[in-house]
Structures are given as C-alpha cells and as structure tokens.
Amino acid sequence: MSATASQSLNIVLNQQLVRLDVYQRSTGLFMDVWQNSTRVVAGAICQNLNPVIHADYLGLGGDFVFVDTQGAEDPTYDGLGDRFVLTFTAAS
C-alpha cells in the first residue's frame, strides 16, 4: 500500500482474485473487499490490530489486519506502507 488517500490493490488469496479498495474519510480509514468481482465487504472501518472482515463464511481463509509499527494508533492514509502495514492473518 502507498500513502494515497484512495487506492485499490489486487491480490490472489487461496486461488481467488481479491481487490481491496482503501479510502480515507473524515471519520477514519475504510476498506471495501471484492472477491472474484463481487463486493463482499463494504465500508469496513480500519483500526489498529482489529480484523477488517469478521466473516469466516466468505471463504477468504483469514482476515486483514492493520498494524501500527510505531504505536497503537488507528491507520490513516498518510502512513500506509510505512507506519501502518496491512497484513493477512490466515484462519487457524
């Protein structure tokens, strides 16, 4: 991710195309998740160490988590890719 206020990222997870739309609003950073061209999560708030999706039944095999590498703040676009890192945590 880059320090851009609105961006999309395409990745392959578990042999499925996943698109992440990440965007900054005045109330925080939000994310939409698309799986094989179908939006499965819309307007999820992005918070430090808090899973974004909260829905195992979607079949992603895990969840996305933002990590503040310099403290415990919620992510903002200007720190993406540097201070705030997006991780994927596989389901156990």
Side-chain angles (χ1 to χ4, degrees):
M1 306 220 89
S2 60
T4 305
S6 181
Q7 60 188 294
S8 292
L9 175 69
N10 292 303
I11 57 175
V12 176
L13 290 173
N14 299 327
Q15 300 176 349
Q16 301 175 84
L17 179 61
V18 176
R19 185 178 95 206
L20 307 176
D21 295 333
V22 179
Y23 48 94
Q24 184 75 50
R25 299 283 188 243
S26 62
T27 53
L29 191 70
F30 293 86
M31 185 163 72
D32 297 344
V33 179
W34 299 75
Q35 182 179 19
N36 297 324
S37 301
T38 300
R39 186 169 51 189
V40 294
V41 174
I45 186 79
C46 301
Q47 299 172 318
N48 185 52
L49 301 178
N50 190 21
V52 174
I53 298 174
H54 301 285
D56 292 337
Y57 66 88
L58 294 175
L60 290 176
D63 210 331
F64 296 97
V65 176
F66 280 91
V67 177
D68 182 353
T69 63
Q70 300 174 15
E73 298 294 319
D74 289 335
T76 56
Y77 83 91
D78 53 349
L80 291 176
D82 182 32
R83 177 175 181 171
F84 304 110
V85 178
L86 179 63
T87 64
F88 182 77
T89 304
S92 51

